[in-house]
Amino acid sequence: MSLHPVLERVTRRIAERSHATRADYLARMDAARESTPARARLGCGNLAHGFAAAGEDKPRLRGGRGGNIGIVTAYNDMLSAHQPYEPYPSLIRMAARNAGGSAQVAGGVPAMCDGVTQGRTGMELSLFSRDTIALATAVSLSHDMFDAVLCLGICDKIVPGLLIGALSFGHLPVIFVPGGPMPSGLPNKEKAAVRQRYAEGKATREELLEAESASYHSPGTCTFYGTANSNQMLMEVMGLHMPGSAFVNPHTPLRDALTVAATEQALRITALGEDGVSDNYRPLARTIDEKAIANAMVGLAATGGSTNHALHLVAMARAAGLIIDWDDLDELSRVTPLLARVYPNGSADVNHFHAAGGMGFVIRELLDAGLMHGDLRCVHGGDLRQQMLEPFLDGTQLRWRDPPPQSRDATVVRLAAEPFDSEGGLRRLQGNLGRAIAKISAVAPEFRIITAPAKVFDTQDALLDAFKHGQLDGDFVAVIRGQGPRANGMPELHKLTPPLAVLQDRGQRIALLTDGRMSGASGKVLAAIHVSPEAADAGAIARIRDGDMLRIDAEAGTMDALVDAAEWNARAPELASLQGNRAGLGRELFALMRTQVGTAEQGACSLFVAEAP
């Protein structure tokens, strides 16, 4: 199957736009490549420090030629998705020894849980934790002891942060090792219904806690298709997982076998080889190219993935010297069929998705439709055709097989010829209010266009108070501003989902317009998010006044204030004081990031600052 012309055009445009930055990046990575073990270049004192606590691996690290794997781990036992990583270093060390190499935990990175901080002050550190993780990854690998890397991370900012950091060491092969989703608990739709009843005062706190506890109930990622599970999809379509690793449950023999296989493969694809030559060498810098990034955008659209990746993908690409924007995402989404219905875009969870055919099924359908690049240099040693294979245990032997020819559940995943929708539903909006992102895959067609007066709020709590006091009557567009990266770190506003859903269910026509985020769990209410420029940059969102008529048309991709042009241009931006967002729960430590951060469309990233020559 030949490539779809839009995929071909967008990929070519990315390559042309990125010519200078990509060439500079690749030159730096090629210059860093060495064909002898990295530790051999250290001075004796440096090396002695590096293996002093290595136990039985000390002789190999001291004199052998075997590769040494650096493990960068996001383990903690508060975050359910990362608790399963506790035994991984021991398993990886054993597997590395058996394969003639060694492995060391190079460092740990923070892993905060947006589920815990949702609607709380700590959420103002969430997005910046991605950049912090990237920095911590770089520090972990800066000892220059390693010939390959295994990244242990799953959730929202952790995987993007690990990849951004690892790309600075793109001369090394890097494999991402997931932990898998928790088994299915209370169906997400039932949990959402209890949340809505609680928002209306029709359910008690104890009833809500019981529902939440039945949904988030054991080790593993949350089972809805938010940012964490979208991360796992991205690692598959960019070729950074062992095939089919994404959604295998924790603490199972298959999960352990995949971790062992990742360890063995990491040693197999280093630059080390006879006479300094290795035909298997798969450096990260060559795996993540414009084709991999285009695949990621297509995968996001085809599965109804998280809007957070409208930020993260831009930042990840930039770390590889590639420049993308929301036009690229919009153009690809409009020609990509929606192949999956996973909550919040359906009733199924990721375990149901995996059982119905999962990532292998989706990758095959997109490849056959010409909507993915197959010729990636995937970490498993093959191309994307091999990435679609699904793993299984034949006794104790790990093997791979073709994905099912037909969906095992057509209510969850479908053939490209019979999609749920003809497009993926991620839209770029633009108009006199700036540019924004909208996810419409879960929004009914009759709610995708709205013309209504603005109700302006400076915090999400102000809107929640108005809801509690019955002040949100009639049709309206809720404007929440001062929530961008420069203002307060761009927190998610997912706490608004239940009350807004209640109002829509009552028959009101409503939408949300914000320079903040709405997360991978955004659902059935139309939301124009990531508005850029943000209010703190004197963006047009700061000119909106209560009662202004606003029109958001997600079908046409427009968003405008229907205000006389002369009056609109004469208005001065208004923004409430941000002093209350400057300190407390560590926020005072992140002033540098708030000051240096780029716009939402630039990935809301604080890391890519040009230094004076």
Side-chain angles (χ1 to χ4, degrees):
M1 170 67 71
S2 59
L3 280 181
H4 191 288
V6 172
L7 175 61
E8 190 171 25
R9 181 173 66 249
V10 171
T11 307
R12 183 172 59 251
R13 186 169 71 213
I14 293 169
E16 292 170 352
R17 183 194 298 141
S18 310
H19 177 75
T21 50
R22 178 67 173 170
D24 175 70
Y25 172 74
L26 290 177
R28 288 187 284 113
M29 296 305 107
D30 289 345
R33 175 185 174 175
E34 294 283 353
S35 58
T36 56
R39 61 190 181 275
R41 300 185 292 278
L42 300 182
C44 293
N46 306 99
L47 183 57
H49 276 88
F51 62 58
E56 65 183 276
D57 289 324
K58 188 181 292 189
R60 184 176 288 109
L61 288 168
R62 175 171 179 155
R65 279 191 52 85
N68 185 33
I69 297 172
I71 304 168
V72 182
T73 178
Y75 163 74
N76 66 50
D77 63 8
M78 185 278 295
L79 182 51
S80 67
H82 290 79
Q83 187 275 342
Y85 283 132
E86 184 173 15
Y88 274 43
S90 295
L91 180 62
I92 290 167
R93 278 190 287 267
M94 178 191 69
R97 289 170 193 145
N98 292 340
S102 54
Q104 296 176 290
V105 174
V109 302
M112 68 179 289
C113 180
D114 289 358
V116 175
T117 59
Q118 198 67 246
R120 309 285 300 171
T121 300
M123 177 56 80
E124 295 184 20
L125 304 187
S126 173
L127 182 57
F128 288 145
S129 77
R130 179 196 65 191
D131 297 5
T132 305
I133 290 161
L135 295 171
T137 301
V139 171
S140 298
L141 298 176
S142 65
H143 299 96
D144 204 20
M145 283 275 293
F146 311 110
D147 308 296
V149 181
L150 293 180
C151 289
L152 313 185
I154 291 181
C155 282
D156 295 22
K157 315 310 168 302
I158 294 100
V159 165
L162 286 167
L163 183 53
I164 291 168
L167 279 163
S168 287
F169 297 81
H171 61 290
L172 300 176
V174 178
I175 299 179
F176 279 71
V177 185
M182 66 179 69
S184 300
L186 181 73
N188 287 295
K189 209 164 187 177
E190 293 183 30
K191 173 195 67 182
V194 177
R195 285 178 174 177
Q196 283 194 212
R197 290 202 304 274
Y198 181 75
E200 294 179 278
K202 297 177 180 178
T204 66
R205 176 181 168 83
E206 186 57 35
E207 289 172 325
L208 178 62
L209 182 57
E210 182 61 29
E212 300 284 5
S213 300
S215 180
Y216 310 120
H217 61 92
S218 68
T221 59
C222 308
T223 60
F224 68 88
Y225 195 53
T227 310
N229 289 315
S230 296
N231 282 338
Q232 304 316 299
M233 175 277 298
L234 294 179
M235 295 302 100
E236 294 274 341
V237 302
M238 291 196 291
L240 292 176
H241 274 176
M242 296 301 290
S245 297
F247 301 123
V248 176
N249 298 125
H251 305 310
T252 61
L254 180 56
R255 179 85 273 161
D256 289 346
L258 286 165
T259 301
V260 170
T263 305
E264 295 169 345
Q265 182 64 8
L267 292 171
R268 199 175 290 125
I269 60 175
T270 69
L272 309 182
E274 296 297 325
D275 301 319
V277 177
S278 173
D279 293 335
N280 297 321
Y281 180 46
R282 295 269 165 143
L284 179 64
R286 298 292 177 175
T287 296
I288 300 302
D289 60 10
E290 65 273 10
K291 294 178 180 180
I293 295 298
N295 279 4
M297 289 189 279
V298 169
L300 195 65
T303 58
S306 169
T307 55
N308 275 324
H309 284 297
L311 308 173
H312 298 326
L313 273 174
V314 178
M316 291 188 285
R318 182 63 185 83
L322 297 164
I323 300 169
I324 63 173
D325 60 29
W326 291 344
D327 290 341
D328 299 326
L329 181 59
D330 180 85
E331 198 168 334
L332 289 171
S333 180
R334 287 177 182 268
V335 298
T336 300
L338 182 65
L339 302 185
R341 284 284 188 200
V342 190
Y343 188 85
N345 302 325
S347 59
D349 66 21
V350 293
N351 292 309
H352 304 136
F353 168 69
H354 184 64
M359 284 309 308
F361 184 94
V362 168
I363 291 172
R364 186 200 62 215
E365 289 301 297
L366 293 170
L367 282 171
D368 289 349
L371 281 165
M372 274 196 175
H373 295 281
D375 55 340
L376 300 189
R377 291 176 57 81
C378 301
V379 296
H380 53 74
D383 61 17
L384 204 66
R385 282 284 172 188
Q386 284 72 54
Q387 191 73 43
M388 75 183 189
L389 299 177
E390 62 177 38
F392 70 101
L393 287 178
D394 181 6
T396 59
Q397 183 71 36
L398 177 62
R399 301 188 188 282
W400 277 270
R401 60 192 170 205
D402 289 333
Q406 298 291 325
S407 172
R408 298 188 183 110
D409 187 343
T411 68
V412 179
V413 66
R414 290 187 182 176
L415 298 167
E418 303 169 354
F420 292 101
D421 202 332
S422 60
E423 64 162 288
L426 286 169
R427 295 283 176 82
R428 179 266 300 127
L429 309 178
Q430 64 182 4
N432 67 5
L433 290 171
R435 285 163 66 91
I437 287 291
K439 176 180 173 180
I440 62 171
S441 51
V443 179
E446 62 268 26
F447 295 122
R448 295 177 182 177
I449 302 172
I450 185 173
T451 302
K455 291 184 183 291
V456 181
F457 303 91
D458 292 310
T459 67
Q460 61 179 326
D461 287 335
L463 186 147
L464 292 171
D465 286 342
F467 174 79
K468 290 174 183 176
H469 290 93
Q471 298 169 352
L472 300 179
D473 296 325
D475 299 347
F476 67 94
V477 176
V479 178
I480 316 283
R481 60 193 183 191
Q483 307 299 309
R486 283 189 180 274
N488 62 356
M490 207 178 188
E492 287 184 351
L493 306 176
H494 182 47
K495 192 175 179 180
L496 300 178
T497 298
L500 292 177
V502 167
L503 296 175
Q504 183 167 283
D505 288 349
R506 288 177 182 173
Q508 295 173 239
R509 295 188 65 81
I510 57 171
L512 175 69
L513 179 79
T514 182
D515 50 7
R517 296 185 292 128
M518 197 59 180
S519 93
S522 55
K524 63 186 182 182
V525 176
L526 178 63
I529 60 177
H530 308 170
V531 171
S532 181
E534 63 174 288
D537 269 344
I541 191 173
R543 297 182 187 179
I544 300 173
R545 306 291 185 260
D546 271 316
D548 284 348
M549 292 300 293
L550 306 182
R551 180 172 175 81
I552 302 173
D553 186 339
E555 299 288 3
T558 61
M559 59 174 196
D560 292 282
L562 306 181
V563 178
D564 176 77
E567 178 187 347
W568 181 253
N569 293 330
R571 284 183 184 175
E574 289 185 358
L575 182 64
S577 172
L578 296 170
Q579 287 306 305
N581 303 99
R582 296 300 187 238
L585 264 71
R587 287 178 291 177
E588 57 272 23
L589 302 177
F590 287 79
L592 179 63
M593 288 188 176
R594 287 191 296 269
T595 302
Q596 296 290 344
V597 70
T599 67
E601 192 165 7
Q602 294 170 330
C605 189
S606 63
L607 301 176
F608 306 119
V609 179
E611 295 182 294

